[in-house]
Amino acid sequence: MFSGGLDSTAMLLKLLEETSDELRVHHIRMQNRQARDGAEQLAVERVLAWCREHCRAFRYSESSLDFRELEAIPIDYLSVAFVACQVAVDTPGCDRIAVGTLAGDLDEIRRSVSVAQRRVFEAMYECYRARKVGEPKVEWIYPVYTMSKAAVAMRLPPELRAAAWSCRTPVQTPSGYRACGVCKPCRKRAEVSAALSVPL
C-alpha cells in the first residue's frame, strides 16, 4: 500500500532494490475535507516515474474513496484495511501486504490502531475466504518499521526526498501545492531536515 509519503516511498524503494518479489503497488486517492489528495497524487506520480526509470518493473494500480461531503475526517486505517482486502483478493498469489509504518511514529494509541487495522482486514478477508477466494493466509509486513524518520530520509536519493509528500493540509497555489508547515507531519519533516541538514 503506497501513499506517496516519505515512509512508503522508502518502503517501495527497499522492496524494489532488496527483494525479487513481484510487486503490486497500490495507491488510494483519499478525498476528504483536508483536500490533500491532489498533492499526494502528484507525489505518487513523481515517485513512480523515478522508480520506473531507476528500478525494476512493478505493477501499479489505484482506487479512490470520496468522503468530501462528510463533515468528519474518516479514519484512514479503516479505509486502508478495506482497500487492502480488495487488492489482495484481486491479486492472484498475494500472501503479503506491505505497509510503510515506522515504530518511532507509533505511540500506544497508534499501536492499538495498527492491531485494529489488521483485525478489520481479517474480518473482511474472511468473507472472501468463505467463498474460497484469495489465498488461505495473508500477512501484513512492515519493511521500514525499525527505521527512524532520519534513516528513512537518508535512505532516499534527493530526488525521491523532494518528490514524496507529507503534509495533511496542503495549500493550493496557482503553481501547484505547498506544505502548510504546521501539521504534525510537516513539523516532523522540518525537524528531521534541520537535524540532518538536508532539504526535505
Side-chain angles (χ1 to χ4, degrees), residues 18-40:
E18 299 180 12
T19 78
S20 58
D21 295 335
E22 184 178 339
L23 300 183
R24 178 175 184 175
V25 180
H26 189 87
H27 171 66
I28 308 168
R29 184 158 185 161
M30 202 89 71
Q31 298 173 288
N32 58 41
R33 294 180 65 224
Q34 291 177 322
R36 69 182 196 265
D37 58 289
E40 289 179 347

Short mmCIF file of all heavy atoms in Angstrom, two decimals, residues 18-40:
data_model
loop_
_atom_site.label_atom_id
_atom_site.label_comp_id
_atom_site.label_asym_id
_atom_site.label_seq_id
_atom_site.Cartn_x
_atom_site.Cartn_y
_atom_site.Cartn_z
N GLU A 18 15.86 -4.64 -2.72
CA GLU A 18 16.36 -5.71 -1.85
C GLU A 18 15.60 -7.01 -1.97
O GLU A 18 15.94 -7.98 -1.28
CB GLU A 18 16.37 -5.22 -0.40
CG GLU A 18 17.27 -4.01 -0.18
CD GLU A 18 17.25 -3.53 1.27
OE1 GLU A 18 16.74 -4.27 2.14
OE2 GLU A 18 17.76 -2.42 1.52
N THR A 19 14.55 -7.05 -2.78
CA THR A 19 13.82 -8.30 -2.97
C THR A 19 13.62 -8.55 -4.46
O THR A 19 13.80 -7.65 -5.28
CB THR A 19 12.42 -8.26 -2.30
OG1 THR A 19 11.50 -7.51 -3.13
CG2 THR A 19 12.47 -7.64 -0.92
N SER A 20 13.24 -9.76 -4.76
CA SER A 20 12.87 -10.10 -6.14
C SER A 20 11.36 -10.36 -6.23
O SER A 20 10.88 -10.93 -7.20
CB SER A 20 13.65 -11.33 -6.61
OG SER A 20 13.39 -12.44 -5.74
N ASP A 21 10.63 -9.96 -5.18
CA ASP A 21 9.18 -10.18 -5.15
C ASP A 21 8.50 -9.46 -6.31
O ASP A 21 8.90 -8.35 -6.68
CB ASP A 21 8.59 -9.66 -3.84
CG ASP A 21 9.10 -10.42 -2.63
OD1 ASP A 21 9.49 -11.58 -2.79
OD2 ASP A 21 9.09 -9.84 -1.53
N GLU A 22 7.47 -10.09 -6.84
CA GLU A 22 6.64 -9.43 -7.84
C GLU A 22 5.72 -8.47 -7.10
O GLU A 22 4.88 -8.89 -6.30
CB GLU A 22 5.83 -10.48 -8.61
CG GLU A 22 5.00 -9.92 -9.73
CD GLU A 22 4.25 -11.00 -10.49
OE1 GLU A 22 4.67 -12.17 -10.43
OE2 GLU A 22 3.24 -10.66 -11.13
N LEU A 23 5.88 -7.18 -7.36
CA LEU A 23 5.18 -6.18 -6.56
C LEU A 23 3.96 -5.61 -7.29
O LEU A 23 4.02 -5.30 -8.48
CB LEU A 23 6.11 -5.01 -6.21
CG LEU A 23 7.36 -5.33 -5.39
CD1 LEU A 23 8.11 -4.04 -5.08
CD2 LEU A 23 7.01 -6.07 -4.11
N ARG A 24 2.88 -5.48 -6.56
CA ARG A 24 1.74 -4.67 -6.99
C ARG A 24 1.67 -3.48 -6.05
O ARG A 24 1.42 -3.62 -4.86
CB ARG A 24 0.44 -5.45 -6.95
CG ARG A 24 -0.75 -4.58 -7.38
CD ARG A 24 -2.04 -5.37 -7.45
NE ARG A 24 -3.13 -4.52 -7.95
CZ ARG A 24 -4.35 -4.99 -8.22
NH1 ARG A 24 -4.64 -6.27 -8.04
NH2 ARG A 24 -5.28 -4.17 -8.67
N VAL A 25 1.92 -2.31 -6.57
CA VAL A 25 1.91 -1.08 -5.80
C VAL A 25 0.54 -0.44 -5.95
O VAL A 25 0.10 -0.17 -7.07
CB VAL A 25 3.01 -0.12 -6.30
CG1 VAL A 25 3.02 1.17 -5.49
CG2 VAL A 25 4.38 -0.80 -6.26
N HIS A 26 -0.14 -0.20 -4.82
CA HIS A 26 -1.50 0.34 -4.90
C HIS A 26 -1.62 1.61 -4.08
O HIS A 26 -1.24 1.66 -2.91
CB HIS A 26 -2.52 -0.68 -4.41
CG HIS A 26 -3.93 -0.25 -4.68
ND1 HIS A 26 -4.57 -0.51 -5.88
CD2 HIS A 26 -4.83 0.46 -3.93
CE1 HIS A 26 -5.79 -0.01 -5.86
NE2 HIS A 26 -5.96 0.59 -4.68
N HIS A 27 -2.17 2.65 -4.71
CA HIS A 27 -2.40 3.94 -4.04
C HIS A 27 -3.89 4.20 -3.93
O HIS A 27 -4.65 3.98 -4.88
CB HIS A 27 -1.75 5.07 -4.84
CG HIS A 27 -2.11 6.44 -4.35
ND1 HIS A 27 -1.72 6.91 -3.11
CD2 HIS A 27 -2.84 7.44 -4.92
CE1 HIS A 27 -2.19 8.13 -2.94
NE2 HIS A 27 -2.87 8.48 -4.02
N ILE A 28 -4.31 4.67 -2.75
CA ILE A 28 -5.70 5.07 -2.54
C ILE A 28 -5.76 6.59 -2.62
O ILE A 28 -5.12 7.28 -1.82
CB ILE A 28 -6.23 4.64 -1.17
CG1 ILE A 28 -5.99 3.15 -0.94
CG2 ILE A 28 -7.72 4.96 -1.05
CD1 ILE A 28 -6.22 2.73 0.50
N ARG A 29 -6.51 7.09 -3.57
CA ARG A 29 -6.73 8.54 -3.62
C ARG A 29 -7.84 8.86 -2.62
O ARG A 29 -9.02 8.66 -2.90
CB ARG A 29 -7.09 9.00 -5.03
CG ARG A 29 -7.23 10.50 -5.12
CD ARG A 29 -7.07 11.02 -6.52
NE ARG A 29 -7.10 12.49 -6.52
CZ ARG A 29 -6.64 13.23 -7.50
NH1 ARG A 29 -6.12 12.67 -8.57
NH2 ARG A 29 -6.70 14.55 -7.42
N MET A 30 -7.43 9.34 -1.44
CA MET A 30 -8.34 9.56 -0.33
C MET A 30 -8.83 11.00 -0.35
O MET A 30 -8.10 11.93 -0.01
CB MET A 30 -7.61 9.28 0.99
CG MET A 30 -8.52 8.95 2.13
SD MET A 30 -8.87 7.19 2.24
CE MET A 30 -7.28 6.56 2.78
N GLN A 31 -10.08 11.19 -0.79
CA GLN A 31 -10.63 12.53 -0.90
C GLN A 31 -11.47 12.85 0.33
O GLN A 31 -12.42 12.14 0.65
CB GLN A 31 -11.48 12.64 -2.16
CG GLN A 31 -10.68 12.41 -3.44
CD GLN A 31 -11.56 12.35 -4.66
OE1 GLN A 31 -12.28 11.38 -4.87
NE2 GLN A 31 -11.51 13.38 -5.49
N ASN A 32 -11.09 13.91 1.03
CA ASN A 32 -11.85 14.35 2.19
C ASN A 32 -11.69 15.87 2.35
O ASN A 32 -11.14 16.52 1.48
CB ASN A 32 -11.42 13.60 3.47
CG ASN A 32 -9.95 13.76 3.77
OD1 ASN A 32 -9.39 14.86 3.62
ND2 ASN A 32 -9.30 12.70 4.20
N ARG A 33 -12.17 16.41 3.46
CA ARG A 33 -12.16 17.86 3.64
C ARG A 33 -10.76 18.44 3.81
O ARG A 33 -10.58 19.66 3.73
CB ARG A 33 -13.05 18.24 4.83
CG ARG A 33 -14.53 17.93 4.59
CD ARG A 33 -15.39 18.30 5.77
NE ARG A 33 -15.38 19.74 5.98
CZ ARG A 33 -15.26 20.32 7.17
NH1 ARG A 33 -15.12 19.58 8.25
NH2 ARG A 33 -15.28 21.63 7.29
N GLN A 34 -9.77 17.60 4.05
CA GLN A 34 -8.39 18.10 4.11
C GLN A 34 -7.86 18.46 2.73
O GLN A 34 -6.89 19.21 2.62
CB GLN A 34 -7.47 17.04 4.74
CG GLN A 34 -7.73 16.82 6.23
CD GLN A 34 -6.85 15.72 6.79
OE1 GLN A 34 -6.60 14.70 6.14
NE2 GLN A 34 -6.38 15.92 8.01
N ALA A 35 -8.46 17.90 1.69
CA ALA A 35 -8.10 18.21 0.30
C ALA A 35 -6.61 17.98 0.02
O ALA A 35 -5.97 18.77 -0.66
CB ALA A 35 -8.49 19.66 -0.04
N ARG A 36 -6.10 16.87 0.53
CA ARG A 36 -4.69 16.57 0.29
C ARG A 36 -4.47 15.61 -0.87
O ARG A 36 -3.35 15.33 -1.26
CB ARG A 36 -4.04 16.00 1.55
CG ARG A 36 -4.52 14.60 1.95
CD ARG A 36 -3.86 14.13 3.24
NE ARG A 36 -3.99 12.71 3.44
CZ ARG A 36 -4.93 12.14 4.18
NH1 ARG A 36 -5.87 12.89 4.75
NH2 ARG A 36 -4.97 10.82 4.33
N ASP A 37 -5.56 15.08 -1.43
CA ASP A 37 -5.42 14.02 -2.42
C ASP A 37 -4.71 14.49 -3.69
O ASP A 37 -3.97 13.74 -4.32
CB ASP A 37 -6.78 13.43 -2.78
CG ASP A 37 -7.76 14.47 -3.31
OD1 ASP A 37 -8.21 15.32 -2.51
OD2 ASP A 37 -8.06 14.45 -4.52
N GLY A 38 -4.92 15.75 -4.09
CA GLY A 38 -4.26 16.24 -5.30
C GLY A 38 -2.75 16.31 -5.13
O GLY A 38 -2.00 15.89 -6.02
N ALA A 39 -2.30 16.82 -3.99
CA ALA A 39 -0.87 16.89 -3.71
C ALA A 39 -0.27 15.50 -3.61
O ALA A 39 0.84 15.24 -4.12
CB ALA A 39 -0.62 17.68 -2.42
N GLU A 40 -0.98 14.58 -2.95
CA GLU A 40 -0.48 13.21 -2.83
C GLU A 40 -0.41 12.53 -4.19
O GLU A 40 0.54 11.79 -4.47
CB GLU A 40 -1.39 12.41 -1.89
CG GLU A 40 -1.25 12.81 -0.44
CD GLU A 40 -2.18 12.03 0.48
OE1 GLU A 40 -3.10 11.35 -0.03
OE2 GLU A 40 -1.98 12.10 1.70
#
